[in-house]
Amino acid sequence: MATIVFLGAGSVTFARNLLGDVLSYPALADSDVVLMDVDADALERTASVARAMVDAGDYDATVEATTDRREALEGADYVLCTIGVGGADPFENEVEIPREYGVEQAVGDTLGPGGVFRAMRTLPTLLDVAHDMEAVCPDALLLNYTNPMAILCWALDEATDIEVVGLCHSVQHTAEAIAHYAGVDADDLEHWVAGINHMAWFLDAEVDGESIYPALHEAAADDEHYTADPVRFELLEHFGYFVTESSHHLSEYLPYFRTDAAVVEELTPPDGYEEGPGGITASWMPTGAYLEFYRGMKEWQAERDVEDVDLSVSRSNEYAARIIHAIETDTPRRVNANVRNHGGSITNLPDDACVEVPCLVDGTGVHPCSVGDLPAQLAALIRTNVAVQEQAVEAGLERDEDALRRAIKLDPLAGAACTLDELDAMVDDLLAANADYLPAFA
């Protein structure tokens, strides 16, 4: 019997899906589930749904809910972290203030000014989580879903003794998308993917031993496919490989796509684009598109009746429950996860970097695979992002404002849009606007 803690459980949809994954495994259906959130009302909604799911399926799992983090973590075996620190107001500042300086972020949660400042307001809370775990569940595995993934996991691994693994769904969603583009069944697709979170690459993608890359290149010439995913198809053409992050999000990590409003407009479908396999959302290219979605989702969740939630149990493509099941039952399984590169999984990236690589999971834990060298052009693109992450980790752990400013100045998109003096002025404005969320930089 495993004790599984959900931190940030107030997000009903995500918590419900992850709990459904756990309950879908008979070997985990008797788990002790502990839900924790600082928002008592949101927590109670999730707890009501979770208990109803357990009752509807007549599972042996138990569900507890608490707003006390230390109490929730007591004796945990696994901690799933989906927290968001600060909510919509600082998020809006992190998008709109850079916008005033010409830095156009569609999402703003992974790299760039938005990602770096999100890390600064999130890391202190995650460090508190890890230190609580050191005290009351030191052997527990922290499975982190919170962005910015690479910065946070790097910093937690650097500063604490807790084993942390970062999880995302971009590899799974991209596998679905490229199978769709290539006209093959996603269940038949074999792949080998490595890089960093939101910039990992399908180094191999095969069906029955045959590469689907020729079909992907043909798909790039198809207007419907290209319109759905223009940034990723552009990178495929110019750098030779398909990348894991969606076009709207990926466009922020590079200097090529967001410094000219006409280019953003050109890459945005004129009438929007219905979401397709793999979460195709090219219509989210405009600046602040995800912020608008985030606010709408919060309102929808707050107004949603618990009675309207689907209580059926099914297995999503998220990795968390797969990892827990593999460890608990000693069932070997391969997933893509975010870990430090200390073992040299990717030999032409820095040893300290947080990389997203194939990992073998069994009863002894999570073990990163050896990838070797990435193609030189892919490693070069990744290193531009790692440079920002490295400075952000230093800024967050050392409370170093100079490192914070260097992180912003090294960012590919910000550097393409602004002068160095403009970037300093932007940082000044962000520090002032979000001062309540950044006590370390007061």
Side-chain angles (χ1 to χ4, degrees):
M1 179 190 304
T3 298
I4 306 171
V5 178
F6 290 67
L7 299 181
S11 176
V12 174
T13 302
F14 202 25
R16 177 241 173 275
N17 290 345
L18 292 177
L19 177 59
D21 290 343
V22 170
L23 296 176
S24 74
Y25 288 102
L28 302 180
D30 64 348
S31 296
D32 291 329
V33 175
V34 183
L35 307 174
M36 183 270 159
D37 201 283
V38 296
D39 184 332
D41 291 336
L43 176 64
E44 182 53 38
R45 284 195 298 273
T46 301
S48 296
V49 170
R51 293 183 181 116
M53 290 174 67
V54 170
D55 291 342
D58 196 25
Y59 299 106
D60 292 329
T62 63
V63 177
E64 299 177 28
T66 177
T67 57
D68 186 317
R69 186 179 65 220
R70 178 70 74 101
E71 177 184 315
L73 291 170
E74 186 78 41
D77 297 305
Y78 305 93
V79 179
L80 278 62
C81 180
T82 62
I83 67 171
V85 177
D89 290 343
F91 186 11
E92 181 170 353
N93 291 334
E94 291 156 3
V95 171
E96 294 301 333
I97 290 174
R99 186 179 195 172
E100 294 171 5
Y101 287 86
V103 181
E104 306 280 351
Q105 303 167 108
V107 181
D109 73 346
T110 295
L111 209 71
V116 171
F117 270 82
R118 178 181 288 249
M120 296 306 102
R121 62 181 162 93
T122 304
L123 181 56
T125 299
L126 277 186
L127 288 171
D128 287 345
V129 168
H131 293 320
D132 280 350
M133 291 177 65
E134 289 172 332
V136 301
C137 56
D139 297 324
L141 175 62
L142 176 58
L143 298 170
N144 179 56
Y145 276 101
T146 297
N147 283 329
M149 180 67 67
I151 295 172
L152 296 176
C153 289
W154 183 333
L156 287 173
D157 186 73
E158 185 76 20
T160 77
D161 293 328
I162 293 300
E163 182 181 2
V164 57
V165 172
L167 300 181
C168 185
H169 39 239
S170 58
V171 172
Q172 304 95 298
H173 285 180
T174 303
E176 295 174 10
I178 64 174
H180 170 68
Y181 297 146
V184 300
D185 190 326
D187 291 337
D188 296 331
L189 183 65
E190 298 288 337
H191 55 71
W192 186 250
V193 182
I196 59 172
N197 185 233
H198 292 179
M199 196 186 282
W201 304 84
F202 276 71
L203 303 176
D204 293 304
E206 299 179 345
V207 173
D208 295 331
E210 295 291 328
S211 174
I212 68 166
Y213 264 102
L216 289 178
H217 283 286
E218 289 181 13
D222 178 275
D223 286 344
E224 181 178 356
H225 290 327
Y226 180 88
T227 300
D229 225 347
V231 175
R232 294 204 284 192
F233 278 120
E234 286 291 327
L235 290 191
L236 173 64
E237 177 182 351
H238 291 279
F239 294 95
Y241 291 84
F242 209 90
V243 70
T244 53
E245 193 45 57
S246 58
S247 279
H248 67 280
H249 216 167
L250 175 67
S251 66
E252 301 177 319
Y253 317 143
L254 302 159
Y256 312 121
F257 302 103
R258 305 196 65 84
T259 56
D260 186 329
V263 173
V264 175
E265 184 176 356
E266 180 183 349
L267 296 176
T268 304
D271 300 317
Y273 191 88
E274 184 178 351
E275 185 168 328
I280 300 168
T281 50
S283 57
W284 290 11
M285 288 293 291
T287 299
Y290 187 78
L291 175 62
E292 182 179 344
F293 168 81
Y294 175 84
R295 287 190 180 280
M297 179 60 72
K298 284 292 187 182
E299 292 175 5
W300 176 75
Q301 288 196 146
E303 297 170 357
R304 191 180 187 192
D305 290 330
V306 171
E307 291 77 11
D308 295 334
V309 178
D310 182 7
L311 301 180
S312 63
V313 167
S314 59
R315 191 172 302 163
S316 76
N317 61 9
E318 298 290 349
Y319 286 137
R322 286 170 163 79
I323 291 174
I324 295 171
H325 179 264
I327 294 173
E328 289 295 305
T329 63
D330 194 20
T331 302
R333 182 173 284 120
R334 196 183 85 195
V335 302
N336 269 76
N338 295 271
V339 295
R340 295 294 292 282
N341 198 33
H342 287 327
S345 293
I346 301 179
T347 46
N348 56 348
L349 291 182
D351 288 345
D352 284 346
C354 181
V355 294
E356 187 168 87
V357 294
C359 295
L360 296 178
V361 190
D362 59 19
T364 63
V366 180
H367 308 286
C369 297
S370 176
V371 175
D373 276 1
L374 294 178
Q377 72 274 23
L378 307 186
L381 287 173
I382 288 171
R383 283 194 290 266
T384 66
N385 285 219
V386 170
V388 178
Q389 295 161 2
E390 180 181 40
Q391 292 298 310
V393 169
E394 181 178 344
L397 293 181
E398 303 299 329
R399 303 183 176 188
D400 186 336
E401 186 177 316
D402 288 338
L404 171 61
R405 293 178 183 275
R406 289 193 296 268
I408 302 299
K409 291 170 184 176
L410 287 169
D411 178 70
L413 177 58
C418 298
T419 67
L420 292 170
D421 287 341
E422 287 170 340
L423 293 173
D424 268 329
M426 181 204 305
V427 172
D428 290 341
D429 290 349
L430 283 165
L431 286 171
N434 280 357
D436 290 344
Y437 307 94
L438 301 169
F441 296 95

